[in-house]
Amino acid sequence: MSRLVLILGDQLSDRIAALREADRESDVVMMAEVASEAEYVPHHPKKIAFVFAAMRKFAAALESAGWRVLYTKLDDPDNAGSIPGEILRRAEETGAKEVLATEPGEWRLISALEDCPLPVHMFPDDRFLCSHEEFEDWAEGRKDLRMEWFYREMRRKTGLMMEGDKPAGGKWNYDHDNRKAAPKDAEFSGPMRFTPDETVEAVLALVEDRFGVNFGTLRPFWFATDQGEARRALAHFIKTGLPGFGDYQDAMLAGEHFLAHSVLSIYLNAGLLCWEDICAAVVDAWEEGDVPINAAEGYIRQVIGWREYMRGIYFREGPDYTTRNALEHKRTRPGFYWTGETKMACLSAAITQTRDEAYAHHIQRLMVTGNFTLLTGIDPHDVHEWYLAVYADAYEWVEAPNVIGMSQYADGGIVGSKPYVSGGGYLKRMSDYCKGCAYDVGEKTGDHACPYNYLYWNFLHQHRDRFGKNPRMAQMYRTWMKMSDDKREATLASAEAFLSRLEAGEDV
Ligand code: FAD
Ligand code: DLZ
């Protein structure tokens, strides 16, 4: 009796657990493009196209490797429209009585599989370095769950950039070298781009037809869509991007969408690359002397540190995590998050780039779009849904802890010991956005001032009961209290006027 082997759109790895448990001779792999996955948030068309194209190519690769694969395209007339629906349809067709699956990366889909009338054996997703149990053991009994301590455990566990039990170079973390603004003459070659082949073109036509109205530009579409291409994109990054990765990690330039970032999360999260291969390539380049230690350490910290830590938090905190709202923020997300039409040059640049690329780098996500929604008190669930929709690398296990936790402080301080907020000064230092802005970053109050300036102080003032005693924020509150009464009043009045205009849907 054959069993169904479910492979989801972000499980495109030949080492995925369900496949390892299956029997190539008797079991049947099933993959399905379904409306429920494509529509549960209005995904960016590039994200949908990437997932479908990569799924189709992975299915073809499995067939070539001798698997029997039942693949459902979105426009298949018999398509049941959901993963459980497709399981039942394929079970009836094949006579299969049970399903082998790998744990999905979203609680929503885990419970859908648990509720399926057919028995579903869900295997842990061991594409990650840290299992749920290991994260629980690490977290258990700790006063706070700071990423840095977790990261050091992962360095010890993997032995990456370790000399015995000591970190290579004598320091665990070289982040203080990684905050340079990009010089004007810096050249970035950007990620490797791939020309769509026949399979990708067929998917692009489908996505254009079905999801053309979603926020996001579909063409030009240049993502890698199979493991071979993703490996080439990795090799390209190691050669061209990694040497400058550390230095310019936090920099932002209006005309440079990628700088020295790798743009590999899309492939890594979908299974086209694995963390082991990425980290081995980074460490090799460092050992060969091709990249400085701050770049190599900075990069592996993102992958074995932040990425694994975020996943640990998502699964530890449970299905209600995305509804947390510790700061009780209630405003509706501004309409310009779907258009980029705002006079604030930084927000306009980050949002239009997101529209065109389905990509923005970490600091754009955190300190431009996320900073603004936090400062203006937007409902974090609204913010979460936007991020989940617009980025090609977004799946809840990694998006939610970054948004709800790191960016919006909606989990009350599990991920971050203080909120990531800043005034315009930080944006001016780290980017060239302010030059083309209708607002003046040098002005602190009034109609012409950069809104981040007064919104920043307003945020601290509104949340003084919560953050006033936070030692990491003491200096900021001291500065606020040292301002004259007139200045504080003018700051709060500017913030109030701006927030009223925002709520009224006026152009800001
Ligand atoms: P690089 O800058 O080249 O970094 C290398 C790799 O490190 C990335 O590919 C990624 O796998 C990993 N990484 C770096 N930072 C993080 C992090 N904070 N959490 C997890 N992995 C990390 N990342 C996602 O993969 N999906 C998301 O939906 C997502 N949403 C985010 C939302 C917000 C508000 C913020 C602040 C961050 C979010 N991140 C998310 C983390 C980070 O922004 C992206 O991983 C990164 O921008 C991906 O681009 P890259 O591959 O060029 O990364
Ligand atoms: C993101 C996505 C999309 C757009 N479509 C599909 C799909 O049609 N079929 C599928 O199996 N997976 C899809 N995915 C990825 C899933 O949404 C992903 O597996 C869950 O969000 C869990 O991480």
Side-chain angles (χ1 to χ4, degrees), residues 309-325:
Y309 168 84
M310 289 302 188
R311 180 171 183 266
I313 295 286
Y314 178 74
F315 281 103
R316 178 177 160 82
E317 290 302 314
D320 80 327
Y321 190 69
T322 58
T323 62
R324 308 258 176 105
N325 191 354

Side-chain angles (χ1 to χ4, degrees), residues 7-10 32-34 37-38 40 43 47-48 51-52 55 83 104-106 108-109 395:
I7 310 269
L8 295 167
D10 57 350
E33 297 166 11
V34 288
E37 292 309 305
Y40 73 98
H43 299 286
K47 176 181 181 185
I48 303 177
V51 172
F52 287 1
M55 283 175 70
I83 297 293
E106 302 196 0
R108 172 186 65 80
L109 210 46
Y395 305 92

